[in-house]
Amino acid sequence: MAQKNVSELRLKILSALSDPIRLELLEFLSGGERCVCEILPAFSRSQSTISKHLNILFEADILDRRIDGKKTLYSIKDPQVFELVRLVDRMALKQISQLAEAGRIIEESLGIGR
């Protein structure tokens, strides 16, 4: 039972991070708490789209949300999320490097680029 709960939590977090807009929102919020009124102009998306993505990140416990009068403010709840993103970046870079090396080997075998 506990393993299922852990798996569900992992899936919720990883799913929340699986969208480019949400990753951009995280990057935007890396500088600190921001009001939705600041977030919307920074993205070429509708208010409903941005709100949906912010809510997904909030529901995954990645963002904090607070209301200050008429303003809704978001911030990163746990900066460790950026460690996870950096780990994924390193994995992607490794794969890109391997592809580049494979391409170089193929080019050499075909006599291309000499």
Side-chain angles (χ1 to χ4, degrees):
M1 182 71 173
Q3 183 60 40
K4 183 179 182 200
N5 290 338
V6 169
S7 294
E8 288 173 0
L9 288 171
R10 284 178 182 156
L11 181 60
K12 191 172 194 174
I13 293 166
L14 292 172
S15 293
L17 297 174
S18 70
D19 184 278
I21 294 172
R22 293 193 286 270
L23 291 174
E24 289 174 23
L25 284 166
L26 285 180
E27 189 66 33
F28 188 76
L29 292 168
S30 68
E33 183 179 66
R34 299 285 183 104
C35 172
V36 172
C37 62
E38 297 173 87
I39 297 170
L40 286 175
F43 293 84
S44 300
R45 303 283 193 274
S46 69
Q47 182 272 329
S48 62
T49 297
I50 296 302
S51 291
K52 177 188 80 167
H53 288 295
L54 288 168
N55 194 57
I56 289 168
L57 291 166
F58 175 75
E59 292 294 323
D61 217 24
I62 295 169
L63 295 183
D64 268 334
R65 174 171 59 199
R66 71 179 183 91
I67 308 296
D68 182 17
K70 293 184 178 184
K71 293 181 178 182
T72 303
L73 300 127
Y74 286 90
S75 61
I76 302 297
K77 186 168 189 170
D78 187 345
Q80 285 185 352
V81 70
F82 295 110
E83 291 177 35
L84 177 58
V85 172
R86 282 190 291 276
L87 178 60
V88 171
D89 287 347
R90 284 194 298 271
M91 292 172 69
L93 183 58
K94 182 178 177 181
Q95 290 177 12
I96 290 167
S97 296
Q98 290 169 343
L99 286 172
E101 178 64 15
R104 186 189 62 74
I105 291 168
I106 290 170
E107 286 177 349
E108 284 179 4
S109 71
L110 296 173
I112 300 172
R114 288 184 182 179

